[in-house]
Amino acid sequence: MSDAAPADQLAHHPILTDDYATEWMGLEVLALGDGSATVATTLRREMLNGFGIAHGGMIFAIADSAFALACNPHTPEEDDNTMTVAAGVDVNFLAPAHAGERITAVAARRAQAGRSGLYDVQVYATAPGAAPASTPDGASPAPATTSPGGAASGSTPDGASPAQAPAQAPRLIAEFRGRSRTVPKR
C-alpha cells in the first residue's frame, strides 16, 4: 500500500508508548497503513491454556492489538484530540495454535461511517521455519477451508494435525470482527 508507514516508524505508533500488554506479548508491528495493520509474535509457554494450546484470550489480545493499530492514526499530523476504541467485537476460533508457532494478525478496515468503523482481523499460525503470513501490502494467505470429510485443509493426508506436519503455509486460526468508535480523549 502506498499509505503504509516507513519501517522506521512502525515501532513508534503513538498508542504503543505505554502499552505494556503489547510489550509483554512481544508483538512486532510488521505493517501499518490507513485502516490496516499487521502484528506478529511467537506463542510462548505462558500463553497456553490447560490443554497445551493457545489461550483464546491471547489470540483475542493479539487480534485486538492489530485492530487498535488499524483504527488509530499512526502519523503525527493526524488528529491528536480523539482516540478510536472498540465498541464491540466478535471472534471465531477456527483451529488451535501451539507453543513456538508464529502468530500473525492482519487487520483491515471494511467500512467507515462518521465516528464508527468496521474492521476484520484474520489471525494465522505458522509453524516454526515456515514462511510467515503476508502483510496487507503483500498477498494474503489463502483462508483455511474444510474438505468434504470435515478435515481442515491444513491437516496432512494421514490426518496428522498441522503442528505435527512438516512446515507449511500459514493456517487461519481465528476471525475477529471489530466495531470501532472514535471518541474525544480525556
Side-chain angles (χ1 to χ4, degrees):
M1 287 185 170
S2 61
D3 58 357
D8 62 341
Q9 288 182 4
L10 294 181
H12 299 103
H13 192 293
I15 68 171
L16 295 177
T17 301
D18 294 317
D19 187 340
Y20 303 111
T22 296
E23 182 181 325
W24 178 85
M25 287 186 289
L27 286 185
E28 299 170 44
V29 179
L30 303 179
L32 287 175
D34 180 20
S36 66
T38 301
V39 300
T41 191
T42 299
L43 198 59
R44 302 185 313 264
R45 184 179 64 93
E46 61 270 23
M47 297 172 157
L48 305 179
N49 64 21
F51 298 112
I53 58 175
H55 190 289
M58 291 289 103
I59 300 303
F60 182 94
I62 294 164
D64 188 52
S65 290
F67 173 45
L69 290 167
C71 289
N72 286 280
H74 60 274
T75 56
E77 64 273 2
E78 296 189 55
D79 189 358
D80 196 33
N81 297 319
T82 62
M83 61 184 174
T84 303
V85 296
V89 299
D90 295 304
V91 64
N92 292 290
F93 300 105
L94 304 171
H98 302 87
E101 288 187 312
R102 186 82 168 151
I103 306 301
T104 304
V106 181
R109 181 173 47 226
R110 297 294 176 225
Q112 183 79 39
R115 296 185 302 143
S116 299
L118 185 64
Y119 292 76
D120 286 335
V121 184
Q122 294 181 312
V123 184
Y124 298 91
T126 307
S134 296
T135 60
D137 54 354
S140 295
T145 57
T146 304
S147 69
S153 64
S155 60
T156 61
D158 64 355
S161 72
Q164 299 164 336
Q168 54 190 304
R171 300 180 334 277
L172 181 64
I173 61 168
E175 288 270 358
F176 174 112
R177 172 151 281 189
R179 296 173 303 281
S180 68
R181 187 73 171 169
T182 301
V183 298
K185 285 186 181 176
R186 294 185 188 228

